[in-house]
Amino acid sequence: AQYKVYIIDEVHMLSTGAFNALLKTLEEPPANVIFILATTEPHKIPATIISRTQRFDFKRISRQSIEDRMAFILDQDGIEFENGALAVIARAANGGMRDALSLLDQVISFSDGTLSLETSRLVTGALSEEQLVEYTEALANGQVTAALDHLHALMAGGQDAARFVEEQLVFVRDLMIAKETKADTADLTQRYDEAFYSLAKTIDVNVLYKMMKVFRETQAEIRFSLQPTIYLEVATVQVASQIGGQAAVGQSGNQQVVANQEGDHVLPTQVSQALAVLQEQVANLTAQVQNGSKEPAKPAPSKPAKRSG
């Protein structure tokens, strides 16, 4: 060939010494040599390297383009697929064709002749629309018990906590887009059934904003946690008890009672106590990570109250 091409992938992983050694070659490259430096984190590349190269920023591939390409590949191989199966893979690939094809290979290996929607969700860890709708409805209606039950069922089924929060954020985003812009399928991250659009019509947009805020904060908190489910429980109780639904508040003697839409009667003190216990567990875990200790942080012993007189 007329040229020799050297491709250095993930070039930001090079050490300072390696960059300095490469710099001399980049300053006076041979006429027949081309270097291609590939990275997903260009801000980590030294300025001396960047100043001696041409920069090309590649954009993410659209979900529809990824889906169309996978459909073409499957048609060429004579593999049948269900509606929506490729959309789940394309969304999980997040704009990367290589990741999409890798996931597609995994789904094919788990499939029995036909690429099913359920297998795509199993491999990518995506939640079903029914699960997302049920959990979000419970939050919006202030149904603390139901929301926690849905959460625990998902976690018991092997759902990853970080992936769950990501899925919930995307779902809330789609609800806001569908509610505020009357968007069609092209503007949403996946194709939804009628239950999604019914929820988008009835849910209050302010509740969606607050859900987004709480789950975004939770996403940052669980990154380095050893027990991320506790943070999800705190977020669930916080959303469902404080911002979900329009609870009817009445007085029963000297005690205030809140009736939620499930027909249950929940005392604010009980909700507060449950939230306080969860927050204390979160604080202990945070202290454990900061102190670098494997033992959970122990609460300080309470001092006996002094009697007056």
Side-chain angles (χ1 to χ4, degrees):
Q2 186 176 0
Y3 290 94
K4 280 189 174 181
V5 180
Y6 294 90
I7 301 175
I8 306 178
D9 197 10
E10 303 295 341
V11 71
H12 63 273
M13 297 296 290
L14 292 181
S15 64
T16 302
F19 272 125
N20 290 336
L22 181 63
L23 183 60
K24 181 63 177 177
T25 305
L26 293 181
E27 287 176 339
E28 300 176 4
N32 65 327
V33 174
I34 296 176
F35 288 92
I36 298 178
L37 312 181
T39 180
T40 54
E41 303 183 52
H43 59 280
K44 292 185 178 180
I45 309 299
T48 51
I49 298 291
I50 293 179
S51 64
R52 289 164 175 80
T53 58
Q54 297 181 24
R55 176 169 172 170
F56 301 92
D57 291 321
F58 293 94
K59 298 179 181 179
R60 298 183 186 276
I61 303 174
S62 68
R63 290 189 304 274
Q64 189 59 52
S65 297
I66 292 177
E67 192 173 341
D68 292 342
R69 181 61 183 175
M70 288 190 296
F72 172 79
I73 293 173
L74 294 177
D75 288 339
Q76 293 296 310
D77 292 340
I79 300 176
E80 298 181 354
F81 54 91
E82 294 181 357
N83 290 332
L86 299 185
V88 172
I89 299 174
R91 184 159 63 96
N94 197 24
M97 184 64 75
R98 179 178 60 182
D99 293 341
L101 296 180
S102 297
L103 289 171
L104 181 62
D105 282 339
Q106 295 179 42
V107 175
I108 291 174
S109 66
F110 279 96
S111 300
D112 186 15
T114 301
L115 211 69
S116 67
L117 176 60
E118 184 61 30
T119 305
S120 296
R121 285 174 176 159
L122 178 65
V123 172
T124 61
L127 297 173
S128 68
E129 179 183 340
E130 181 181 1
Q131 291 171 317
L132 290 167
V133 168
E134 289 177 349
Y135 178 72
T136 306
E137 274 186 331
L139 293 179
N141 294 334
Q143 300 170 343
V144 180
T145 303
L148 285 174
D149 287 343
H150 288 307
L151 175 64
H152 292 154
L154 290 170
M155 295 298 105
Q159 178 67 35
D160 178 70
R163 185 56 193 265
F164 171 77
V165 175
E166 183 179 343
E167 288 278 313
Q168 186 64 26
L169 285 170
V170 172
F171 186 71
V172 173
R173 175 263 181 197
D174 283 353
L175 284 172
M176 285 194 290
I177 295 297
K179 184 176 185 66
E180 294 298 304
T181 65
K182 311 300 180 185
D184 57 14
T185 305
D187 296 314
L188 303 178
T189 59
Q190 62 176 305
R191 298 180 182 88
Y192 291 103
D193 295 330
E194 185 60 33
F196 167 83
Y197 294 99
S198 298
L199 178 60
K201 290 178 182 178
T202 57
I203 196 169
D204 185 76
V205 69
N206 292 322
V207 172
L208 293 175
Y209 289 142
K210 292 174 183 178
M211 281 186 188
M212 184 70 74
K213 180 178 183 296
V214 171
F215 283 107
R216 189 174 63 246
E217 293 171 351
T218 304
Q219 186 178 42
E221 291 171 342
I222 67 175
R223 289 181 61 189
F224 306 106
S225 173
L226 299 177
Q227 298 186 33
T229 303
I230 293 179
Y231 289 93
L232 292 178
E233 290 171 338
V234 171
T236 299
V237 173
Q238 182 180 353
V239 173
S241 64
Q242 295 182 6
I243 67 175
Q246 299 296 323
V249 180
Q251 294 291 334
S252 176
N254 296 326
Q255 197 173 41
Q256 191 179 38
V257 178
V258 179
N260 63 23
Q261 296 187 13
E262 289 178 307
D264 299 332
H265 288 78
V266 182
L267 296 178
T269 54
Q270 293 176 339
V271 174
S272 300
Q273 289 172 357
L275 185 57
V277 170
L278 292 173
Q279 289 174 335
E280 183 180 356
Q281 292 176 336
V282 170
N284 289 340
L285 288 173
T286 304
Q288 177 182 343
V289 173
Q290 292 176 347
N291 295 332
S293 172
K294 294 184 179 180
E295 294 294 332
K298 296 181 179 179
S302 57
K303 297 181 179 179
K306 295 182 179 179
R307 294 185 178 179
S308 59

